[in-house]
Amino acid sequence: MCREGVDPVAVKVAVRQAQERLSCERTHISQWSAFTTNHKMEKVAARLKRCEELLMEVERLLEENVGELAHMTVGPDPGVSITKI
């Protein structure tokens, strides 16, 4: 990959896939958090809830990266002119 140069599309796809996997895991953690809450396991439920919140933050950061990578693939803004040296 380095020899041919960096392909922002490939990176964007990989980051987006990671984001989707984390979203699925966050859903699972949320379900276990609800389960442990219902079964009076407060400390476990609280930690799982914290994990869920952290995963939401990671998903948000990955989404920002996906957006930036998508912008890189589009190219410069239409109002910008590039002068070659």
Side-chain angles (χ1 to χ4, degrees):
M1 184 167 165
C2 291
R3 189 174 296 163
E4 293 86 25
V6 177
D7 180 11
V9 174
V11 176
K12 181 185 79 165
V13 169
V15 171
R16 179 69 180 132
Q17 288 172 345
Q19 181 188 17
E20 289 172 358
R21 287 191 307 272
L22 283 175
S23 177
C24 183
E25 289 304 319
R26 184 177 52 81
T27 300
H28 293 156
I29 294 293
S30 176
Q31 291 168 350
W32 283 113
S33 177
F35 178 84
T36 54
T37 298
N38 291 339
H39 288 83
K40 310 287 189 246
M41 300 179 208
E42 290 84 12
K43 288 183 181 180
V44 173
R47 284 190 295 269
L48 288 172
K49 187 67 175 168
R50 179 69 179 133
C51 290
E52 183 183 356
E53 292 166 357
L54 291 170
L55 286 173
M56 285 174 38
E57 176 66 11
V58 171
E59 283 182 75
R60 185 190 64 75
L61 292 171
L62 289 174
E63 181 62 34
E64 287 179 15
N65 285 329
V66 168
E68 186 172 334
L69 289 161
H71 182 70
M72 291 172 137
T73 62
V74 173
D77 293 332
V80 176
S81 62
I82 298 175
T83 306
K84 293 186 179 185
I85 298 177

Coordinates of all heavy atoms in Angstrom, one line a residue:
M1 N 0.8 -1.2 0.0 CA 0.0 0.0 0.0 C 0.9 1.3 0.0 O 0.6 2.2 -0.7 CB -0.9 0.0 1.2 CG -1.9 1.1 1.2 SD -3.1 0.8 2.5 CE -3.8 2.4 2.6
C2 N 2.0 1.2 0.8 CA 2.8 2.4 0.8 C 3.6 2.6 -0.4 O 3.8 3.8 -0.8 CB 3.8 2.3 2.0 SG 3.0 2.4 3.6
R3 N 3.9 1.6 -1.1 CA 4.7 1.7 -2.3 C 3.9 2.4 -3.4 O 4.4 3.2 -4.2 CB 5.2 0.3 -2.8 CG 6.2 0.4 -3.9 CD 6.8 -1.0 -4.3 NE 7.5 -1.5 -3.1 CZ 7.8 -2.7 -2.9 NH1 7.5 -3.6 -3.8 NH2 8.5 -3.1 -1.9
E4 N 2.6 2.0 -3.5 CA 1.8 2.6 -4.6 C 1.2 3.9 -4.1 O 0.5 4.6 -4.9 CB 0.7 1.7 -4.9 CG 1.1 0.4 -5.6 CD 1.5 -0.7 -4.6 OE1 1.0 -0.7 -3.5 OE2 2.3 -1.5 -5.0
G5 N 1.3 4.3 -2.9 CA 0.6 5.5 -2.3 C -0.6 5.1 -1.5 O -1.1 4.0 -1.5
V6 N -1.1 6.0 -0.8 CA -2.2 5.8 0.1 C -3.5 6.0 -0.7 O -3.7 7.0 -1.4 CB -2.2 6.8 1.3 CG1 -3.4 6.6 2.2 CG2 -0.9 6.6 2.1
D7 N -4.4 5.1 -0.5 CA -5.7 5.1 -1.2 C -6.7 5.5 -0.1 O -7.1 4.7 0.7 CB -6.1 3.8 -1.8 CG -7.4 3.8 -2.5 OD1 -8.0 4.9 -2.7 OD2 -7.9 2.7 -2.9
P8 N -7.2 6.8 -0.1 CA -8.2 7.2 0.9 C -9.5 6.4 0.9 O -10.1 6.2 1.9 CB -8.4 8.7 0.6 CG -7.4 9.1 -0.4 CD -6.8 7.9 -1.0
V9 N -9.8 5.9 -0.3 CA -11.1 5.2 -0.4 C -11.0 3.8 0.4 O -11.9 3.5 1.1 CB -11.5 4.9 -1.9 CG1 -12.7 4.0 -2.0 CG2 -11.7 6.2 -2.6
A10 N -9.8 3.2 0.2 CA -9.6 1.9 0.9 C -9.6 2.1 2.4 O -10.1 1.4 3.2 CB -8.3 1.3 0.5
V11 N -8.9 3.2 2.9 CA -8.9 3.5 4.3 C -10.3 3.9 4.8 O -10.7 3.4 5.9 CB -7.9 4.7 4.5 CG1 -7.9 5.1 6.0 CG2 -6.5 4.4 4.1
K12 N -11.0 4.6 4.0 CA -12.4 5.0 4.4 C -13.3 3.8 4.6 O -14.0 3.6 5.5 CB -13.0 5.9 3.3 CG -14.4 6.4 3.7 CD -15.0 7.2 2.6 CE -15.5 6.3 1.5 NZ -16.4 6.7 0.5
V13 N -13.2 2.8 3.6 CA -13.9 1.6 3.7 C -13.6 0.8 5.0 O -14.4 0.3 5.7 CB -13.8 0.7 2.4 CG1 -14.3 -0.6 2.6 CG2 -14.4 1.4 1.3
A14 N -12.3 0.7 5.2 CA -11.8 -0.1 6.4 C -12.3 0.6 7.7 O -12.8 -0.1 8.6 CB -10.3 -0.2 6.4
V15 N -12.2 1.9 7.8 CA -12.6 2.6 9.0 C -14.2 2.5 9.1 O -14.7 2.3 10.2 CB -12.2 4.1 8.9 CG1 -12.8 4.9 10.0 CG2 -10.7 4.2 9.0
R16 N -14.9 2.6 8.0 CA -16.3 2.5 8.1 C -16.7 1.1 8.6 O -17.7 0.9 9.4 CB -16.9 2.7 6.7 CG -18.4 2.6 6.7 CD -19.1 3.7 7.4 NE -20.5 3.6 7.3 CZ -21.4 3.6 8.4 NH1 -20.9 3.9 9.6 NH2 -22.6 3.5 8.2
Q17 N -16.0 0.0 8.1 CA -16.3 -1.3 8.5 C -16.0 -1.5 10.0 O -16.8 -2.1 10.8 CB -15.5 -2.3 7.7 CG -16.0 -2.5 6.3 CD -15.1 -3.3 5.5 OE1 -13.9 -3.6 5.8 NE2 -15.6 -3.7 4.3
A18 N -15.0 -0.9 10.5 CA -14.7 -0.9 11.9 C -15.8 -0.2 12.7 O -16.2 -0.7 13.8 CB -13.3 -0.2 12.2
Q19 N -16.3 0.9 12.2 CA -17.3 1.6 12.9 C -18.6 0.7 12.9 O -19.3 0.7 14.0 CB -17.6 2.9 12.1 CG -18.7 3.7 12.7 CD -19.1 4.9 11.9 OE1 -18.8 4.9 10.7 NE2 -19.8 5.8 12.5
E20 N -18.9 0.0 11.9 CA -20.1 -0.9 11.9 C -19.9 -2.0 12.9 O -20.9 -2.3 13.6 CB -20.3 -1.4 10.5 CG -20.8 -0.3 9.5 CD -20.9 -0.8 8.1 OE1 -20.5 -2.0 7.8 OE2 -21.3 0.0 7.2
R21 N -18.7 -2.6 13.0 CA -18.5 -3.6 14.0 C -18.7 -3.1 15.4 O -19.3 -3.8 16.2 CB -17.1 -4.3 13.8 CG -17.0 -5.1 12.5 CD -15.7 -5.9 12.5 NE -14.5 -5.1 12.7 CZ -13.8 -4.6 11.7 NH1 -14.3 -4.7 10.4 NH2 -12.7 -3.9 11.9
L22 N -18.1 -1.9 15.6 CA -18.3 -1.3 17.0 C -19.7 -1.0 17.3 O -20.2 -1.2 18.4 CB -17.4 -0.1 17.1 CG -15.9 -0.3 17.3 CD1 -15.2 1.0 17.2 CD2 -15.7 -1.0 18.6
S23 N -20.5 -0.6 16.3 CA -21.9 -0.3 16.5 C -22.6 -1.6 17.0 O -23.4 -1.6 17.9 CB -22.5 0.2 15.3 OG -23.9 0.5 15.4
C24 N -22.3 -2.7 16.3 CA -22.9 -4.0 16.7 C -22.5 -4.4 18.1 O -23.4 -4.8 18.9 CB -22.5 -5.0 15.6 SG -23.2 -6.6 15.9
E25 N -21.2 -4.2 18.4 CA -20.8 -4.6 19.8 C -21.4 -3.7 20.8 O -21.8 -4.1 21.9 CB -19.3 -4.5 19.8 CG -18.6 -5.6 19.1 CD -19.0 -7.0 19.5 OE1 -19.1 -7.2 20.7 OE2 -19.1 -7.8 18.7
R26 N -21.6 -2.4 20.5 CA -22.3 -1.5 21.4 C -23.7 -1.9 21.7 O -24.2 -1.9 22.8 CB -22.2 0.0 20.9 CG -22.8 1.0 21.9 CD -22.8 2.4 21.3 NE -23.3 2.5 20.0 CZ -24.6 2.7 19.8 NH1 -25.5 2.7 20.7 NH2 -25.0 2.9 18.5
T27 N -24.4 -2.4 20.7 CA -25.7 -2.9 20.8 C -25.7 -4.1 21.8 O -26.6 -4.2 22.7 CB -26.3 -3.3 19.5 OG1 -26.4 -2.2 18.7 CG2 -27.7 -3.9 19.6
H28 N -24.8 -5.0 21.6 CA -24.6 -6.2 22.5 C -24.4 -5.8 23.9 O -25.0 -6.3 24.9 CB -23.5 -7.1 22.0 CG -23.9 -7.8 20.7 ND1 -22.9 -8.2 19.9 CD2 -25.0 -8.0 20.1 CE1 -23.4 -8.8 18.8 NE2 -24.7 -8.6 18.9
I29 N -23.4 -4.8 24.1 CA -23.1 -4.3 25.5 C -24.4 -3.7 26.1 O -24.6 -3.9 27.3 CB -21.9 -3.3 25.4 CG1 -20.7 -4.0 24.9 CG2 -21.8 -2.6 26.7 CD1 -20.1 -5.0 25.9
S30 N -25.1 -3.0 25.3 CA -26.3 -2.3 25.8 C -27.3 -3.4 26.3 O -28.0 -3.2 27.3 CB -27.0 -1.5 24.7 OG -28.2 -0.9 25.1
Q31 N -27.5 -4.4 25.5 CA -28.4 -5.5 26.0 C -27.9 -6.2 27.3 O -28.7 -6.4 28.1 CB -28.5 -6.5 24.8 CG -29.2 -6.0 23.6 CD -29.1 -6.9 22.4 OE1 -28.3 -7.9 22.4 NE2 -29.9 -6.6 21.4
W32 N -26.6 -6.4 27.4 CA -26.1 -7.0 28.6 C -26.2 -6.0 29.8 O -26.5 -6.4 30.9 CB -24.7 -7.5 28.4 CG -24.6 -8.7 27.7 CD1 -24.1 -8.9 26.4 CD2 -25.1 -10.0 28.1 NE1 -24.2 -10.2 26.1 CE2 -24.8 -10.9 27.1 CE3 -25.7 -10.5 29.3 CZ2 -25.2 -12.3 27.2 CZ3 -26.1 -11.8 29.3 CH2 -25.8 -12.7 28.3
S33 N -26.1 -4.8 29.5 CA -26.3 -3.7 30.5 C -27.7 -3.8 31.1 O -27.9 -3.7 32.3 CB -25.9 -2.4 30.0 OG -26.2 -1.4 31.0
A34 N -28.7 -3.9 30.2 CA -30.1 -3.9 30.6 C -30.3 -5.2 31.3 O -31.0 -5.2 32.4 CB -31.0 -3.9 29.3
F35 N -29.8 -6.3 30.9 CA -29.9 -7.6 31.5 C -29.4 -7.5 33.0 O -30.1 -8.0 33.9 CB -29.2 -8.7 30.7 CG -29.3 -10.1 31.4 CD1 -30.4 -10.9 31.2 CD2 -28.3 -10.5 32.2 CE1 -30.5 -12.1 31.8 CE2 -28.4 -11.8 32.8 CZ -29.5 -12.6 32.6
T36 N -28.2 -7.0 33.1 CA -27.6 -7.0 34.5 C -28.3 -6.0 35.4 O -28.4 -6.2 36.6 CB -26.1 -6.7 34.4 OG1 -25.9 -5.5 33.6 CG2 -25.3 -7.8 33.8
T37 N -28.9 -4.9 34.8 CA -29.7 -4.0 35.6 C -30.9 -4.7 36.1 O -31.3 -4.5 37.3 CB -30.0 -2.8 34.7 OG1 -28.8 -2.1 34.3 CG2 -30.9 -1.8 35.5
N38 N -31.6 -5.4 35.2 CA -32.8 -6.1 35.6 C -32.6 -7.2 36.7 O -33.5 -7.6 37.4 CB -33.5 -6.7 34.4 CG -34.0 -5.7 33.5 OD1 -34.3 -4.6 33.9 ND2 -34.2 -6.1 32.2
H39 N -31.3 -7.7 36.7 CA -31.0 -8.8 37.7 C -30.2 -8.3 38.9 O -29.5 -9.0 39.5 CB -30.3 -9.9 36.9 CG -31.2 -10.7 36.1 ND1 -31.5 -10.3 34.8 CD2 -31.9 -11.8 36.3 CE1 -32.4 -11.1 34.3 NE2 -32.7 -12.1 35.1
K40 N -30.3 -7.0 39.1 CA -29.7 -6.4 40.3 C -28.2 -6.5 40.4 O -27.7 -6.7 41.5 CB -30.4 -6.9 41.6 CG -31.9 -6.9 41.6 CD -32.4 -5.5 41.8 CE -33.9 -5.6 42.0 NZ -34.7 -5.0 40.9
M41 N -27.5 -6.5 39.3 CA -26.1 -6.5 39.3 C -25.6 -5.0 39.0 O -25.1 -4.8 37.9 CB -25.6 -7.4 38.2 CG -26.0 -8.9 38.4 SD -25.3 -9.9 37.1 CE -26.6 -11.2 37.0
E42 N -25.8 -4.2 39.9 CA -25.6 -2.7 39.7 C -24.2 -2.4 39.3 O -24.0 -1.6 38.3 CB -26.0 -1.9 41.0 CG -27.5 -1.9 41.2 CD -28.0 -3.1 42.0 OE1 -27.1 -3.9 42.5 OE2 -29.2 -3.3 42.1
K43 N -23.2 -2.9 39.9 CA -21.8 -2.6 39.6 C -21.5 -3.0 38.2 O -20.8 -2.3 37.4 CB -20.8 -3.1 40.6 CG -20.9 -2.5 42.0 CD -19.9 -3.1 42.9 CE -19.9 -2.4 44.3 NZ -18.9 -3.0 45.2
V44 N -21.9 -4.2 37.8 CA -21.6 -4.7 36.5 C -22.4 -3.9 35.5 O -21.8 -3.5 34.4 CB -22.0 -6.2 36.4 CG1 -21.9 -6.7 34.9 CG2 -21.1 -7.1 37.3
A45 N -23.6 -3.6 35.8 CA -24.4 -2.8 34.9 C -23.8 -1.4 34.6 O -23.8 -0.9 33.5 CB -25.9 -2.7 35.4
A46 N -23.3 -0.8 35.7 CA -22.7 0.5 35.6 C -21.5 0.5 34.7 O -21.3 1.4 33.9 CB -22.4 1.1 37.0
R47 N -20.7 -0.5 34.9 CA -19.4 -0.6 34.1 C -19.8 -0.9 32.6 O -19.2 -0.3 31.7 CB -18.5 -1.7 34.6 CG -17.7 -1.2 35.8 CD -16.6 -2.2 36.2 NE -17.2 -3.5 36.6 CZ -17.4 -3.9 37.8 NH1 -17.3 -3.0 38.8 NH2 -17.9 -5.1 38.1
L48 N -20.8 -1.7 32.4 CA -21.3 -2.0 31.0 C -21.8 -0.7 30.4 O -21.6 -0.4 29.2 CB -22.3 -3.1 31.0 CG -21.7 -4.5 31.2 CD1 -22.8 -5.5 31.4 CD2 -20.8 -4.9 30.1
K49 N -22.6 0.1 31.2 CA -23.1 1.3 30.7 C -22.0 2.3 30.3 O -22.0 2.9 29.2 CB -24.0 2.0 31.7 CG -24.8 3.1 31.2 CD -25.8 2.7 30.2 CE -26.7 3.9 29.8 NZ -27.4 3.6 28.6
R50 N -20.9 2.3 31.1 CA -19.8 3.1 30.8 C -19.1 2.7 29.5 O -18.7 3.5 28.7 CB -18.8 3.1 32.0 CG -17.5 3.9 31.7 CD -17.8 5.4 31.7 NE -16.6 6.1 31.5 CZ -16.4 7.1 30.7 NH1 -17.4 7.5 29.9 NH2 -15.2 7.7 30.5
C51 N -19.0 1.4 29.3 CA -18.4 0.8 28.1 C -19.2 1.2 26.9 O -18.7 1.6 25.9 CB -18.4 -0.7 28.2 SG -17.1 -1.4 29.3
E52 N -20.6 1.2 27.0 CA -21.4 1.6 26.0 C -21.2 3.1 25.6 O -21.1 3.4 24.4 CB -22.9 1.4 26.4 CG -23.9 1.7 25.3 CD -25.3 1.5 25.8 OE1 -25.5 1.1 27.0 OE2 -26.2 1.9 25.0
E53 N -21.1 3.9 26.6 CA -20.8 5.3 26.4 C -19.5 5.5 25.6 O -19.4 6.4 24.7 CB -20.8 6.1 27.7 CG -22.2 6.2 28.3 CD -22.2 6.6 29.8 OE1 -21.0 6.8 30.3 OE2 -23.2 6.8 30.4
L54 N -18.5 4.8 26.1 CA -17.1 4.9 25.4 C -17.2 4.5 24.0 O -16.6 5.1 23.1 CB -16.1 4.1 26.2 CG -15.7 4.7 27.6 CD1 -14.9 3.7 28.4 CD2 -15.0 6.0 27.4
L55 N -17.9 3.4 23.7 CA -18.1 2.9 22.3 C -18.8 3.9 21.5 O -18.5 4.1 20.3 CB -18.8 1.6 22.3 CG -17.9 0.4 22.8 CD1 -18.8 -0.9 22.9 CD2 -16.7 0.2 21.8
M56 N -19.8 4.6 22.1 CA -20.5 5.7 21.3 C -19.5 6.8 20.9 O -19.5 7.3 19.8 CB -21.6 6.2 22.1 CG -22.8 5.3 22.2 SD -24.2 5.8 23.3 CE -24.3 7.6 23.1
E57 N -18.6 7.1 21.8 CA -17.6 8.2 21.5 C -16.6 7.7 20.4 O -16.3 8.4 19.5 CB -16.8 8.5 22.8 CG -15.7 9.5 22.6 CD -16.1 10.9 22.2 OE1 -17.3 11.2 22.3 OE2 -15.2 11.7 21.8
V58 N -16.2 6.4 20.5 CA -15.3 5.9 19.5 C -16.0 5.9 18.1 O -15.4 6.3 17.1 CB -14.9 4.4 19.9 CG1 -14.2 3.8 18.7 CG2 -14.0 4.5 21.1
E59 N -17.3 5.5 18.1 CA -18.1 5.5 16.9 C -18.1 6.9 16.3 O -18.0 7.1 15.1 CB -19.5 5.0 17.1 CG -19.6 3.6 17.2 CD -21.1 3.2 17.4 OE1 -21.8 3.2 16.4 OE2 -21.5 2.8 18.6
R60 N -18.3 7.9 17.2 CA -18.4 9.3 16.7 C -17.1 9.7 16.1 O -17.0 10.4 15.0 CB -18.7 10.2 17.9 CG -19.0 11.7 17.5 CD -19.1 12.6 18.6 NE -17.8 12.7 19.4 CZ -16.7 13.4 19.0 NH1 -16.7 14.0 17.9 NH2 -15.7 13.4 19.8
L61 N -16.0 9.4 16.7 CA -14.6 9.7 16.2 C -14.4 9.0 14.9 O -13.8 9.6 13.9 CB -13.5 9.4 17.2 CG -13.5 10.2 18.5 CD1 -12.6 9.6 19.5 CD2 -13.2 11.6 18.2
L62 N -14.8 7.8 14.8 CA -14.6 7.1 13.5 C -15.5 7.7 12.4 O -15.0 7.8 11.3 CB -15.0 5.6 13.7 CG -14.0 4.8 14.5 CD1 -14.5 3.4 14.7 CD2 -12.6 4.7 13.8
E63 N -16.7 8.2 12.7 CA -17.5 8.8 11.8 C -16.9 10.1 11.3 O -16.9 10.4 10.1 CB -18.9 9.1 12.4 CG -19.9 9.8 11.4 CD -20.2 8.9 10.2 OE1 -20.3 7.7 10.4 OE2 -20.4 9.5 9.1
E64 N -16.2 10.9 12.2 CA -15.5 12.1 11.7 C -14.4 11.7 10.7 O -14.2 12.4 9.7 CB -14.9 12.8 12.9 CG -15.9 13.5 13.8 CD -15.3 14.2 15.0 OE1 -14.0 14.3 15.0 OE2 -16.0 14.6 15.9
N65 N -13.7 10.6 11.0 CA -12.6 10.2 10.1 C -13.2 9.7 8.8 O -12.6 10.0 7.7 CB -11.8 9.0 10.7 CG -10.9 9.5 11.8 OD1 -10.4 10.6 11.8 ND2 -10.7 8.7 12.8
V66 N -14.3 9.0 8.8 CA -14.9 8.6 7.5 C -15.3 9.8 6.7 O -15.1 9.9 5.5 CB -16.2 7.7 7.8 CG1 -17.0 7.5 6.5 CG2 -15.7 6.4 8.4
G67 N -15.9 10.8 7.4 CA -16.2 12.1 6.7 C -15.0 12.8 6.1 O -15.1 13.2 4.9
E68 N -14.0 12.9 6.8 CA -12.8 13.5 6.3 C -12.2 12.7 5.2 O -11.8 13.3 4.1 CB -11.7 13.6 7.4 CG -10.5 14.4 7.0 CD -9.6 14.7 8.2 OE1 -10.1 14.8 9.4 OE2 -8.4 14.9 7.9
L69 N -12.2 11.4 5.3 CA -11.6 10.6 4.2 C -12.5 10.7 2.9 O -12.0 10.7 1.8 CB -11.5 9.1 4.6 CG -10.4 8.9 5.6 CD1 -10.6 7.6 6.3 CD2 -9.0 8.9 4.9
A70 N -13.8 10.8 3.1 CA -14.7 10.9 2.0 C -14.5 12.3 1.3 O -14.5 12.4 0.1 CB -16.2 10.9 2.5
H71 N -14.2 13.3 2.1 CA -13.9 14.6 1.6 C -12.6 14.6 0.7 O -12.5 15.2 -0.3 CB -13.8 15.7 2.7 CG -13.6 17.0 2.2 ND1 -14.5 17.8 1.5 CD2 -12.5 17.8 2.2 CE1 -14.0 18.9 1.2 NE2 -12.8 19.0 1.6
M72 N -11.7 13.8 1.2 CA -10.4 13.7 0.5 C -10.6 13.0 -0.9 O -9.9 13.3 -1.8 CB -9.4 12.8 1.3 CG -8.9 13.4 2.5 SD -7.9 12.2 3.4 CE -6.6 13.2 3.9
T73 N -11.5 12.1 -1.0 CA -11.7 11.4 -2.3 C -12.5 12.2 -3.3 O -12.3 12.0 -4.5 CB -12.5 10.1 -2.0 OG1 -13.8 10.4 -1.5 CG2 -11.8 9.2 -1.1
V74 N -13.2 13.2 -2.8 CA -13.9 14.1 -3.7 C -13.0 15.1 -4.4 O -13.2 15.4 -5.6 CB -15.0 14.9 -2.9 CG1 -15.7 15.9 -3.8 CG2 -16.1 13.9 -2.4
G75 N -11.9 15.5 -3.7 CA -11.0 16.4 -4.3 C -11.2 17.8 -3.8 O -12.0 18.0 -2.8
P76 N -10.6 18.8 -4.3 CA -10.7 20.2 -3.8 C -12.1 20.7 -4.0 O -12.8 20.3 -4.9 CB -9.6 20.9 -4.6 CG -9.4 20.1 -5.9 CD -9.7 18.7 -5.5
D77 N -12.4 21.7 -3.2 CA -13.6 22.4 -3.3 C -13.7 23.1 -4.7 O -12.7 23.5 -5.3 CB -13.8 23.5 -2.2 CG -13.9 22.9 -0.9 OD1 -14.4 21.7 -0.8 OD2 -13.5 23.5 0.1
P78 N -15.0 23.2 -5.2 CA -15.1 23.8 -6.6 C -14.6 25.2 -6.7 O -14.2 25.6 -7.7 CB -16.6 23.8 -6.8 CG -17.2 22.9 -5.8 CD -16.2 22.8 -4.7
G79 N -14.7 26.0 -5.6 CA -14.2 27.4 -5.6 C -12.7 27.5 -5.5 O -12.2 28.7 -5.6
V80 N -12.0 26.5 -5.4 CA -10.5 26.5 -5.2 C -9.8 26.2 -6.5 O -10.1 25.3 -7.2 CB -10.1 25.5 -4.1 CG1 -8.6 25.5 -4.0 CG2 -10.7 25.8 -2.8
S81 N -8.9 27.1 -6.8 CA -8.1 26.8 -8.0 C -6.7 26.4 -7.6 O -6.1 26.9 -6.7 CB -8.0 28.0 -9.0 OG -7.4 29.1 -8.3
I82 N -6.2 25.4 -8.3 CA -4.8 24.8 -7.9 C -3.9 25.2 -9.0 O -4.1 24.9 -10.2 CB -4.9 23.3 -7.8 CG1 -5.8 22.9 -6.6 CG2 -3.5 22.7 -7.5 CD1 -6.1 21.5 -6.4
T83 N -2.8 25.9 -8.7 CA -1.8 26.3 -9.6 C -0.6 25.3 -9.5 O 0.0 25.2 -8.4 CB -1.3 27.7 -9.3 OG1 -2.5 28.6 -9.3 CG2 -0.3 28.2 -10.4
K84 N -0.3 24.7 -10.5 CA 0.9 23.7 -10.5 C 2.1 24.6 -10.6 O 2.2 25.5 -11.3 CB 0.8 22.8 -11.7 CG -0.4 21.8 -11.5 CD -0.3 20.8 -12.6 CE -1.5 19.8 -12.4 NZ -1.5 18.7 -13.3
I85 N 3.2 24.1 -9.9 CA 4.4 24.8 -9.9 C 5.4 24.1 -10.9 O 5.4 22.9 -11.1 CB 5.1 24.8 -8.5 CG1 4.1 25.5 -7.6 CG2 6.4 25.4 -8.5 CD1 4.6 25.5 -6.1

